[in-house]
Every structure is written in C-alpha cells, then in structure tokens.
C-alpha cells in the first residue's frame, strides 16, 4: 500500500518537474489564464508555494514569507528551490506519528490531524497543477502534459 511518505515524495517530484517545465516555456506562459487575470499561471505557481508554506506553518509553526509573483525562469527556479525545502520538511513529517496539531488561522485557534494536513498538501498542489495545465491549454501553449506527472511516471522516474 502507498504510504503518505510515498505520496509526499511524489508531490516533491511533481512540484520540481512542474516548476522546471514552467521555466522552460515562453515568457507569455506566465500570463496564461482560464479564469481571469487574478489567476494566471504565475499566480497559481506562487499559490502552490504559498500553500506549501501554510502547511509547513500548520505542522511546525514556521511562518510563511511574502513571495513575489514569478516573472522569469530565474524567479521560477527560486520558487522551485524554496518549495523543494518545504517538501523535504513535509516528507520528514510523513514519518512522524499521526497526532492532532493546533495552530492559529484567520478564525483563531484551529486544529487538524498531521495526516490530513499532509494529504491536503498533496491535493492542493495537484489541484493547482491541473489549473495551470488548463490555463496553458486554453491559451494554446504546449509543453505541459498532466499524464507526465502521474504516479506511473513517478514510479518510472524512481526506478
């Protein structure tokens, strides 16, 4: 059976692959959108990283940062490297016993099981990778195929 640690390793691999792919696309790819100018590929890429910072905060209390909107391959590489560090922390958290964690959010004190936070981190990134793929497709920009990010591709890459 796949463990949460395996799923988190897949997350780290897929995130790294996504940001490398985005950095290789033409500059106009960052402006692609399917739902209006507030959710461009650049916004979604930043949101993946800020979301990962949120899960890190919930798990270990480390505050999030003020991330800049990526405008270049170098900025995407910087976000990718930052995200890799967070994903390493998430993978380490996957090896810990499940427990109820308490953290402050916009509504005050909140809590969640470690396992649910880690599962949500995987889901969150997957959801926004899909939105990025849609934005690129409706904008006529090729180069990102979601099938290249699935568990089978991950398993092949690990072999």
């Amino acid at each position: 059976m796949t463990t949460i640690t395996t799923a988190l390793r897949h997350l780290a691999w897929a995130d790294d692959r996504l940001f490398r792919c985005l950095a290789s696309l033409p500059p106009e790819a960052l402006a692609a959108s399917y739902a209006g100018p507030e959710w461009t590929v650049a916004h979604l890429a930043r949101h993946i990283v800020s979301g990962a910072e949120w899960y890190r905060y919930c798990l270990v209390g480390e505050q999030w940062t003020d991330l800049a909107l990526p405008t270049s391959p170098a900025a995407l590489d910087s976000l990718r490297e930052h995200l890799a560090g967070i994903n390493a922390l998430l993978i380490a958290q996957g090896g810990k016993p499940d427990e109820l964690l308490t953290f402050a959010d916009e509504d005050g004190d909140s809590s969640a099981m470690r396992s649910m936070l880690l599962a949500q981190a995987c889901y969150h990134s997957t959801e926004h990778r899909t939105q990025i793929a849609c934005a690129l497709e409706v904008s006529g920009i090729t180069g990102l195929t979601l099938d290249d990010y699935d568990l089978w591709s991950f398993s092949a890459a690990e072999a």
Side-chain angles (χ1 to χ4, degrees), residues 34-146:
Y34 72 95
E38 65 278 357
W39 283 106
T40 65
V41 168
H43 286 94
L44 290 163
R46 179 180 64 185
H47 183 73
I48 288 171
V49 182
S50 66
E53 285 189 334
W54 170 251
Y55 298 115
R56 178 188 64 193
Y57 165 75
C58 294
L59 290 160
V60 300
E62 186 175 335
Q63 289 293 318
W64 51 91
T65 60
D66 186 20
L67 299 168
L69 198 63
T71 58
S72 67
L76 286 162
D77 284 342
S78 179
L79 282 176
R80 179 183 56 78
E81 290 169 5
H82 181 57
L83 184 55
I86 297 169
N87 282 335
L89 180 141
L90 296 178
I91 292 167
Q93 288 286 309
K96 292 187 172 195
D98 203 11
E99 67 178 304
L100 186 66
L101 302 172
T102 302
F103 48 89
D105 63 19
E106 62 272 3
D107 298 323
D109 286 342
S110 190
S111 59
M113 297 298 292
R114 181 188 320 277
S115 59
M116 292 306 296
L117 288 165
L118 294 171
Q120 179 62 27
C122 293
Y123 172 75
H124 181 260
S125 185
T126 302
E127 172 189 7
H128 295 303
R129 273 196 306 273
T130 304
Q131 290 175 318
I132 287 170
C134 289
L136 293 171
E137 186 172 332
V138 301
S139 299
I141 300 168
T142 60
L144 189 139
T145 303
L146 287 178

